[in-house]
Amino acid sequence: MLDQWFNPQKTPMAGEKPDYRFSLANERTFLAWIRTALALLAGGLACAQFLPPLPIAHLREIIAVTLLLLGGVVAIRAVDHWARTEKAMRMGTDLPKSRFPAILALLVALGAALLVLAVLIKAVT
């Protein structure tokens, strides 16, 4: 079972082989999501190690854990999206729709707004 994860040549694929350019584009998209996940993980570790204590109790730890968890979710979502897209191309069906990029953007914007609020609270006190 694990061999299928680490050796794509042994993974049975249904349907017809898609044009290799589309498979490579799907793989590049997957790698872009993995880079995003790694950036979130790096940001979480940086917050945990280098961010000074913030005026709200445990805010630094909350930010760090949130970024780390979000990085893990993005990585898992990347694999799922890659597999569903590859299957859709092989089966000749519509590509899967995803709300995840919009959700991720909203979460990042919410995080930015909370950080602005924390900075303003510190500036006022």
Side-chain angles (χ1 to χ4, degrees), residues 57-113:
H58 302 291
L59 181 59
R60 175 180 62 181
E61 292 80 10
I62 292 169
I63 293 168
V65 169
T66 301
L67 289 172
L68 292 169
L69 290 173
L70 193 55
V73 169
V74 168
I76 291 169
R77 184 67 182 97
V79 172
D80 175 62
H81 186 74
W82 172 82
R84 291 186 312 124
T85 301
E86 188 70 24
K87 182 178 179 184
M89 288 189 303
R90 288 178 171 275
M91 302 305 287
T93 60
D94 290 341
L95 293 178
K97 298 199 182 331
S98 177
R99 291 188 180 133
F100 189 73
I103 292 169
L104 181 61
L106 289 173
L107 288 174
V108 169
L110 177 63

Side-chain angles (χ1 to χ4, degrees), residues 28-45:
R28 283 190 302 274
T29 301
F30 166 75
L31 292 172
W33 279 105
I34 292 298
R35 284 190 302 272
T36 301
L38 288 171
L40 288 165
L41 292 172
L45 287 175

Side-chain angles (χ1 to χ4, degrees), residues 4-22:
Q4 291 180 355
W5 282 83
F6 299 109
N7 189 351
Q9 302 300 345
K10 292 186 178 182
T11 304
M13 290 286 189
E16 298 177 15
K17 276 189 172 181
D19 185 330
Y20 72 92
R21 294 172 293 180
F22 300 126

